[in-house]
Amino acid sequence: YRNFLREESDLYRAATQKPSLLCRDYIRITQPHFATTLPTSAEEFYKGLSSGARWQAKSKQKKLIKDFAGDVKIRCFREVGDLDTMIQDVEQVARKSYQRGLGVGFLETSAARSQLRLKAERGWLRGYVLYVTGRPSAFWIGDVNEGTFGSDYLAYDAELGKYSPGMFLIYKVIEGFCEGNGGRVTALDFATGHAQYKQLLSNQGWSESSAYIFAPSLKGISINVVRSLIEGTGQAIQKLLRRTNLL
């Protein structure tokens, strides 16, 4: 059994202390979790950024629009009937993104398609795609639940990297959230994992760990031993590389 738990929660303490010594997780991977509460206007949102971030956001937005003669559009996909078009356009960006090179991020699979369909059927899906001169150039996919937009996938076309198209899209979507376009969204949840844009945009954060509980059986205990050896060795190597500035 595994779940991501806040490190200060009672459930986390129980998951890491209650199991027997042989069934307990000794190699817990901790990650930051970022989120933000949104103001009631886009103007207030930008005021909350540092002066440098605010200037960079505005200047790059102007440059992108100017250099491409204003042919810059954003489309929001929400319906089941739009999924094929959205996935096709998103895949054009994803296959050229750095995330794909790392084997993470959006990947068109039957499981991913089913998840997107479920969210569309429930009215939760929000799939934002940025088009520059008609070409998909960035996307941000998530869902809205009880006023919170949960971020799932984000990527941009590296060929347009100097324009920061991913951040352009994020800023424009947040502007829409603050102004109540398409339903009021009052918060963003960026989920676990470190990223510079998350730190820039977040006003909340905490640590989470993935806690495993292993079955009290020969198989469960064997898996715990093997995993502890592999993950423990990996973490030791990472620490060494950090100390020598080689990571």
Side-chain angles (χ1 to χ4, degrees):
Y1 169 79
R2 171 222 187 192
N3 204 349
F4 277 99
L5 306 170
R6 287 200 189 208
E7 287 196 316
E8 72 274 13
S9 71
D10 291 337
L11 184 57
Y12 176 80
R13 282 190 287 271
T16 55
Q17 297 173 16
K18 289 289 186 181
S20 67
L21 294 177
L22 295 176
C23 300
R24 196 176 294 179
D25 187 355
Y26 293 96
I27 307 294
R28 295 185 289 275
I29 300 172
T30 300
Q31 297 189 71
H33 190 133
F34 293 97
T36 191
T37 301
L38 295 175
T40 55
S41 71
E43 183 179 359
E44 286 183 69
F45 165 72
Y46 282 109
K47 283 182 180 178
L49 300 177
S50 67
S51 58
R54 188 164 56 247
W55 176 85
Q56 189 172 54
K58 293 296 185 181
S59 64
K60 289 201 172 185
Q61 288 176 23
K62 290 178 181 177
K63 183 172 177 58
L64 178 65
I65 293 172
K66 178 183 177 182
D67 287 1
F68 292 94
D71 192 3
V72 178
K73 298 180 176 62
I74 295 172
R75 181 177 175 184
C76 178
F77 295 88
R78 300 175 58 169
E79 307 297 330
V80 173
D82 295 330
L83 284 179
D84 286 341
T85 300
M86 184 191 78
I87 291 172
Q88 178 181 334
D89 291 351
V90 163
E91 178 60 23
Q92 288 186 48
V93 179
R95 65 172 173 245
K96 295 185 287 185
S97 68
Y98 78 88
Q99 290 99 326
R100 179 62 59 85
L102 296 173
V104 297
F106 179 81
L107 182 64
E108 184 183 356
T109 63
S110 58
R113 185 178 281 272
S114 295
Q115 184 186 58
L116 292 171
R117 173 175 286 275
L118 174 64
K119 291 182 178 184
E121 290 172 346
R122 299 291 177 88
W124 303 335
L125 179 66
R126 299 294 186 276
Y128 298 94
V129 180
L130 171 69
Y131 298 88
V132 178
T133 62
R135 187 180 73 179
S137 301
F139 64 84
W140 193 16
I141 300 175
D143 55 73
V144 173
N145 277 292
E146 298 182 354
T148 296
F149 175 81
S151 178
D152 289 328
Y153 306 107
L154 173 67
Y156 65 90
D157 184 345
E159 292 179 13
L160 296 174
K162 69 177 182 179
Y163 298 99
S164 298
M167 290 304 297
F168 178 95
L169 177 60
I170 289 175
Y171 283 129
K172 291 303 180 184
V173 170
I174 291 177
E175 287 178 18
F177 288 157
C178 292
E179 302 299 339
N181 296 341
R184 185 80 177 100
V185 172
T186 58
L188 302 175
D189 188 331
F190 293 109
T192 54
H194 184 274
Q196 187 175 10
Y197 77 91
K198 294 181 182 182
Q199 283 190 305
L200 174 67
L201 299 173
S202 297
N203 51 33
Q204 300 173 45
W206 56 89
S207 293
E208 289 183 354
S209 288
S210 61
Y212 287 76
I213 299 173
F214 297 89
S217 64
L218 179 60
K219 182 178 180 181
I221 294 170
S222 298
I223 292 173
N224 191 8
V225 171
V226 173
R227 177 180 174 274
S228 297
L229 288 171
I230 295 172
E231 292 289 350
T233 302
Q235 289 188 15
I237 292 172
Q238 284 193 25
K239 286 181 181 179
L240 177 62
L241 291 175
R242 282 197 186 95
R243 289 172 183 170
T244 54
N245 294 319
L246 294 174
L247 184 60

